[in-house]
Amino acid sequence: MLPNVTFKAKKTLTLGGKTVELTRHDYHSNDGDLFIYVPQAKFLMAIDSVTAGYAPFQSFDITTNFHQYMKVFDELLAYKFDTFVGGHLTSIGTRQDVEITKEFTMDVYNTVKRIHNNMDPAATTAEAVKAIGTDNEFLLFKVLLDKVTKDSVKELQPRWIDRLAGVDVWLESHVRTALIYVRWDD
């Protein structure tokens, strides 16, 4: 039989005496995201949220809404689960993996926000003007963004390089995602 049931927010199924709860969320895709929860098995699945042992994929799993992405961890942790499936790699995770990814995400956000908000844009721009002049305002602005990115990566990498695989690969993209949010949406 082909699937023929759709739902907007939540759907509960009973299969073989087991309850399966499906809920829609908005932390990654423009089309919405799905949590699959099996309470009796203490099993939760939410793709593109947490990959056990790894930093999130590029730009926080290419999220289209960083504000919602930061909230997804509390939504996940509201469930009672021991086993977690959340990424495209083969690693099966636990509640602790969700907590660590939340800690990483919030550390990136808070570090970027602090460095951005405490930067002296006039001094940074004045230094850049000495090297590149004043003709290219986009380049001068890029120097500001690049400084926040570089300073944030320099501070964050030592804290996370030995805790999550892929930090060396994706950290700069996470910092840039957080920076865009901090600068224009926060």
Side-chain angles (χ1 to χ4, degrees):
M1 183 168 138
L2 292 174
N4 60 2
V5 176
T6 61
F7 65 96
K8 293 237 186 249
K10 187 173 186 176
K11 178 78 175 165
T12 300
L13 307 170
T14 303
L15 305 167
K18 300 256 189 220
T19 300
V20 178
E21 298 175 10
L22 308 172
T23 55
R24 292 182 60 92
H25 297 266
D26 294 306
Y27 59 87
H28 172 263
S29 169
N30 286 329
D31 297 325
D33 303 287
L34 183 66
F35 287 10
I36 301 169
Y37 179 55
V38 183
Q40 296 92 333
K42 293 188 174 181
F43 172 87
L44 180 61
M45 181 174 183
I47 300 300
D48 293 326
S49 60
V50 173
T51 301
Y54 289 83
F57 180 70
Q58 179 178 342
S59 303
F60 291 107
D61 275 316
I62 337 173
T63 185
T64 58
N65 187 334
F66 189 59
H67 176 72
Q68 286 302 119
Y69 183 86
M70 288 191 296
K71 291 180 180 179
V72 75
F73 304 104
D74 290 335
E75 293 171 1
L76 294 167
L77 293 167
Y79 288 85
K80 293 180 180 178
F81 66 93
D82 295 326
T83 304
F84 183 79
V85 175
H88 294 283
L89 302 177
T90 57
S91 300
I92 302 297
T94 65
R95 182 173 203 83
Q96 183 180 18
D97 291 303
V98 175
E99 291 167 346
I100 290 169
T101 303
K102 176 185 179 181
E103 181 186 349
F104 171 76
T105 301
M106 298 313 295
D107 191 18
V108 170
Y109 165 72
N110 288 322
T111 300
V112 168
K113 184 173 185 167
R114 178 179 39 77
I115 288 173
H116 174 270
N117 292 348
N118 292 326
M119 177 183 58
D120 181 352
T124 301
T125 302
E127 193 62 33
V129 164
K130 292 177 189 175
I132 61 177
T134 59
D135 292 342
N136 191 336
E137 291 181 39
F138 275 149
L139 182 56
L140 290 172
F141 188 62
K142 183 180 182 301
V143 167
L144 295 175
L145 298 178
D146 288 349
K147 178 168 179 30
V148 173
T149 301
K150 180 180 167 229
D151 291 353
S152 297
V153 167
K154 183 178 179 182
E155 181 178 323
L156 287 159
Q157 190 157 352
R159 287 199 294 265
W160 289 100
I161 194 71
D162 294 328
R163 289 188 68 194
L164 291 172
V167 165
D168 56 331
V169 176
W170 300 122
L171 182 57
E172 184 176 328
S173 73
H174 299 322
V175 165
R176 289 195 179 276
T177 296
L179 177 55
I180 288 167
Y181 178 74
V182 163
R183 181 136 186 114
W184 286 283
D185 293 328
D186 200 6

